[in-house]
Amino acid sequence: MQLHNFNSGPSILPPEVLIQAAESIHNFNNTGLSILEIGHRTSWFMEVVQEAQQTVKRLMDLGDEYEVLFLQGGATMQFMQVPMNMLDENGTAAICDNGVWGNKAVKEASIFGKVKVVSDSSDKKYTYINKDFELPSDASYLHITTNNTVEGTQWHSFPQVNVPLIGDMSSDIFCRPTPFNQFDLIYAGAQKNMGAAGVTLVVIKKSILGKVSRKIPAILNYQKHIEAGSLLNTPPVFSIYVSLLTLRWIEKEGGLQEMERRNKEKSDLLYKTIEELPQFYCPIDKVDRSIMNAVFFLTDPEKEAPFLALCKSEGMIGVKGYRTVGGIRVSMYNALPLSSVQAFCALMKRFAIDN
Ligand SMILES: *Cc1c(COP(=O)(O)O)cnc(C)c1O
């Protein structure tokens, strides 16, 4: 049976990336050694890091005022590393909390200083993005989650503010052309749209650093990672290599414009199918719907279990909604082919006829 991988993360990667990654485990770049066996300070691996950094900057169209780092600890570590490096007693972290991940960013930032949740969308169960906010006069930065992976909402334009803008782009990095230069710090766990678990992309505008008084351990200090060229200690070598392969694939396929064209085609088809079938409904405001993660429900909640059982028997992987949200979540990351969404929509139609 053909499988269709709608996992929310770790998630689908392009088949050719998997083949190249597998080859590199036996023989990396014709060195006769495995990627798992080479030193991280060899010229072989330094070239991997540098090419990955350059490709990120090309895709983001960013200049030398930005630095690209590959760190560990996941996006979850960034919830604390950002405030540790950028928030002290002289300021306030302004955070838009539109879901599970924004909420975690709030909790971690409050360990390091004052936090103001400038907007949240809990009044309507996170079915929209609350873009109506005012910054406190002492805001050190504004933090947003560009795509709410769990709730299925996405920012489609970004706030213009006069403080550093920080974006958690874990689940929509490189899904479309983005004005990355509007952001001062961007981070993304690689395992959703960029590569294998174990590495987190962090892109920083250097001028925002060095403004807090606290002492920062080297491993958590962005400045130290920048000075070390993202090789402060042994990095996640294999995960970085898989990200490089995916970044190359994005460029070869036509870049972010082509990714957006594909992602829109897939998500338009799915949302249209949901609208057409009375057995399903999507509670998310149309203007805020995510092109990466579609969250929707069965009109009759009793039909959810049979629908999920049918999905399972037909090879539709990872479509059960997040545990606190329920319903259905279909993740459509860059590497997911249109044919998988077509197959899923055909199954929805079949289920609708029988129900
Ligand atoms: C998955 C996810 C995270 C958590 O990522 P980890 O790498 O597991 O720490 C944070 N933010 C968003 C938006 C996510 O989708």
Side-chain angles (χ1 to χ4, degrees), residues 8 73-77 79 101 145-150 168-171 187-192 199-200 333:
S8 57
T76 301
M77 195 169 90
F79 296 154
W101 298 116
T145 312
T146 56
N147 183 70
N148 293 288
T149 326
V150 168
D168 175 359
M169 299 196 185
S170 293
S171 53
Y187 62 88
Q191 70 274 16
K192 282 157 189 152
V199 65
T200 310
Y333 296 117

Side-chain angles (χ1 to χ4, degrees), residues 38-51:
I38 61 168
H40 60 289
R41 300 196 191 279
T42 57
S43 59
W44 295 323
F45 187 67
M46 306 252 277
E47 280 170 25
V48 168
V49 172
Q50 281 157 14
E51 186 188 338

Side-chain angles (χ1 to χ4, degrees), residues 329-347:
R329 171 172 56 174
V330 170
S331 299
M332 300 167 281
Y333 296 117
N334 285 346
L336 184 82
L338 175 63
S339 56
S340 285
V341 178
Q342 287 168 332
F344 186 81
C345 290
L347 192 65

